[in-house]
Amino acid sequence: MNVETKPPRQKEGRKAREARILLAAEKVFAEAGFGGATMQLIADMADLPKASLHYYFPTKESLYRQVVEKIFHIWLRAADVFDSASGPAEGIAAYIDAKMELSRAYPAGSKVWASEVLHGAPVIQDYLETTLADWTEGRMKVIQAWIDEGRMTPVNPRHLLYMLWATTQHYADFSHQIETLNGGTPLSEADWAEAKRSVKQIILTGIGLEPPQP
Amino acid sequence: MNVETKPPRQKEGRKAREARILLAAEKVFAEAGFGGATMQLIADMADLPKASLHYYFPTKESLYRQVVEKIFHIWLRAADVFDSASGPAEGIAAYIDAKMELSRAYPAGSKVWASEVLHGAPVIQDYLETTLADWTEGRMKVIQAWIDEGRMTPVNPRHLLYMLWATTQHYADFSHQIETLNGGTPLSEADWAEAKRSVKQIILTGIGLEPPQP
DNA sequence: GTCTATACACTGATAGAC
DNA sequence: GTCTATCAGTGTATAGAC
């Protein structure tokens, strides 16, 4: 009988299938936006009948919401490097590195998040008001403390954070423009290294954590 | 008769009506994206019957294309401050100011542009490959010349440009997030001044055009 | 030139067979 | 649990009255 194969295959199969759907959805939402994405396109990319999507995710919006929530939590976890740092130079450099790596590894996710915020955050407004607001306030206090201790140049912590977000996410969100300006080819390993080096050089120098070059 | 009112009213009426449609379309495309926007929504916002839109702009895509082109040319014109500057400190500061003002004055336009690039620039790919690529190369040469003349710190001109774009456009594209983190209210005059000051401080210090603060 | 009415395609979602 | 067949609603676009 199939009594011993059924329970494990089903349970794992479901998780794996949901993950595959979420991955396909992330890609389609990133390419077409929420309005431009269709359940049919997502089903095709996940190699499933359209109706099966509605079994795992009752509505298009519920699927979209899970995609956005997944991105947000990956993004939050990367931000932890801020806390485990011993000082500003190390912490901010590590944060830039982590966010640049995220932009490189999950460009579709970053694009979905950007698109969501761009259009007024209709789905994850509550996250902005609670989790993100709390995280931002906490990090602003850390930066302000570093400034008060004289460990970095006095700058506005809020706008420093915005600059860090904008600059690092730009490499994911505008990857198409960047690739076009790169001769139509994706950034190489060396290109990414140079991008990270350039961003860190300008920002860290800008807030007094690296000596100005001669 | 209406023989003398007809020709001027029609000619000006047409231009004015097209401008009103373009403005309404820009807003709707910014809020909902290309896929989420509907001709009905745009018609309602422009206070016109839906079919009249198709008289002035045959298809939804042609209307969208004109919106994007309009944005792009405004953006290009603002970039001219780069050339009329006598040196790097003045030029880059003026460019930051100009782009921050654009983000403040035309947030919807910036969002439409961002959304277009985000989704792979299906409509304005040719602009990226020609006009934008040319502009970028020209400005990179200007920056490299300033570096060679020892007037600013050696940095990668390409990534400096990306940082300028990312940081300034962030205030338009992510305005909803920024307003949420600002307690749910739009940035005040003082907030904008502080944002511009902060961006210029960090970047100009970062490339050796402002002395590090004590 | 402008608007009303409508054609036609496609969407998200579901009912019901397997 | 999974898929085929189908529905009701909405989208762009147009034909034709004014």
Side-chain angles (χ1 to χ4, degrees):
Chain A
M1 313 287 180
N2 53 8
V3 68
E4 84 283 355
T5 60
K6 236 179 171 181
R9 193 182 64 82
Q10 274 188 353
K11 239 187 176 172
E12 290 197 333
R14 183 179 183 101
K15 283 273 176 202
R17 210 166 248 209
E18 282 182 0
R20 205 172 75 234
I21 294 172
L22 282 172
L23 211 70
E26 182 178 292
K27 224 170 169 177
V28 174
F29 282 134
E31 282 173 9
F34 179 79
T38 68
M39 295 298 269
Q40 187 64 64
L41 271 172
I42 298 171
D44 290 347
M45 181 152 295
D47 200 36
L48 276 175
K50 189 176 64 159
S52 295
L53 259 63
H54 283 98
Y55 172 70
Y56 293 101
F57 303 91
T59 66
K60 181 184 175 183
E61 190 175 315
S62 69
L63 173 55
Y64 175 74
R65 182 175 247 276
Q66 292 218 22
V67 169
V68 175
E69 286 177 0
K70 185 183 150 200
I71 306 303
F72 184 65
H73 287 117
I74 290 177
W75 182 90
L76 261 192
R77 218 173 310 131
D80 286 345
V81 297
F82 223 105
D83 301 305
S84 50
S86 62
E90 186 195 334
I92 293 173
Y95 187 52
I96 292 174
D97 280 330
K99 291 222 64 220
M100 290 291 279
E101 286 300 331
L102 275 186
S103 283
R104 186 181 185 182
Y106 305 106
S110 184
K111 284 172 185 164
V112 173
W113 175 262
S115 189
E116 166 70 7
V117 175
L118 211 68
H119 300 132
V123 169
I124 43 80
Q125 176 65 19
D126 49 340
Y127 277 80
L128 295 187
E129 290 173 358
T130 57
T131 318
L132 182 63
D134 291 345
W135 186 90
T136 305
E137 199 154 330
R139 256 30 63 167
M140 279 171 58
K141 278 183 184 157
V142 170
I143 294 170
Q144 190 58 53
W146 284 335
I147 293 171
D148 293 341
E149 295 163 8
R151 301 173 79 181
M152 58 179 279
T153 301
V155 296
N156 187 306
R158 179 182 299 277
H159 294 290
L160 171 58
L161 283 176
Y162 293 167
M163 181 177 289
L164 292 171
W165 294 344
T167 307
T168 54
Q169 288 167 210
H170 181 82
Y171 286 87
D173 302 340
F174 287 73
S175 63
H176 180 82
Q177 177 173 292
I178 289 177
E179 286 185 13
T180 297
L181 295 178
N182 193 42
T185 56
L187 299 195
S188 68
E189 185 73 33
D191 291 331
W192 274 99
E194 173 67 4
K196 283 162 72 170
R197 194 198 60 76
S198 297
V199 169
K200 283 188 286 186
Q201 178 195 342
I202 298 176
I203 294 186
L204 292 179
T205 305
I207 58 181
L209 295 176
E210 261 187 25
Q213 297 204 1
Chain B
M1 313 283 183
N2 52 8
V3 68
E4 85 282 353
T5 60
K6 235 181 173 179
R9 193 182 64 82
Q10 273 187 351
K11 240 188 176 172
E12 291 198 331
R14 183 179 182 99
K15 284 271 177 205
R17 209 166 249 210
E18 283 182 0
R20 205 171 76 234
I21 293 172
L22 282 172
L23 211 69
E26 181 178 293
K27 226 171 169 177
V28 174
F29 283 132
E31 283 173 8
F34 179 79
T38 68
M39 296 298 268
Q40 186 65 64
L41 270 171
I42 297 171
D44 290 348
M45 180 152 295
D47 200 35
L48 277 176
K50 189 177 59 160
S52 295
L53 260 63
H54 283 100
Y55 172 69
Y56 293 101
F57 303 90
T59 67
K60 181 184 175 182
E61 190 175 314
S62 69
L63 173 56
Y64 174 74
R65 182 175 246 276
Q66 292 218 21
V67 170
V68 175
E69 286 177 0
K70 185 182 149 200
I71 306 304
F72 184 66
H73 287 118
I74 291 177
W75 183 91
L76 260 192
R77 218 173 309 133
D80 286 345
V81 297
F82 224 106
D83 301 305
S84 51
S86 62
E90 187 195 333
I92 293 173
Y95 187 53
I96 292 173
D97 279 331
K99 290 222 66 217
M100 290 291 280
E101 287 300 332
L102 274 187
S103 283
R104 187 181 184 181
Y106 305 106
S110 184
K111 283 171 186 165
V112 173
W113 175 263
S115 191
E116 164 70 6
V117 175
L118 211 68
H119 300 132
V123 169
I124 42 80
Q125 176 63 21
D126 49 339
Y127 277 82
L128 295 187
E129 291 173 359
T130 57
T131 319
L132 182 63
D134 291 345
W135 186 90
T136 305
E137 201 155 329
R139 259 26 67 167
M140 278 171 58
K141 278 184 184 157
V142 170
I143 294 171
Q144 190 59 53
W146 285 335
I147 293 172
D148 293 341
E149 296 163 7
R151 301 172 80 181
M152 58 179 280
T153 300
V155 296
N156 187 307
R158 179 182 298 278
H159 294 290
L160 172 58
L161 282 176
Y162 292 167
M163 181 178 289
L164 292 171
W165 294 346
T167 308
T168 53
Q169 288 167 207
H170 181 82
Y171 286 88
D173 302 341
F174 286 74
S175 63
H176 181 82
Q177 178 173 292
I178 288 177
E179 286 185 14
T180 298
L181 295 178
N182 193 43
T185 56
L187 299 194
S188 67
E189 185 73 34
D191 290 332
W192 275 100
E194 173 66 4
K196 282 162 70 171
R197 192 198 61 75
S198 297
V199 169
K200 282 187 287 186
Q201 179 196 340
I202 298 177
I203 293 185
L204 293 178
T205 305
I207 57 181
L209 295 177
E210 261 188 25
Q213 297 204 1

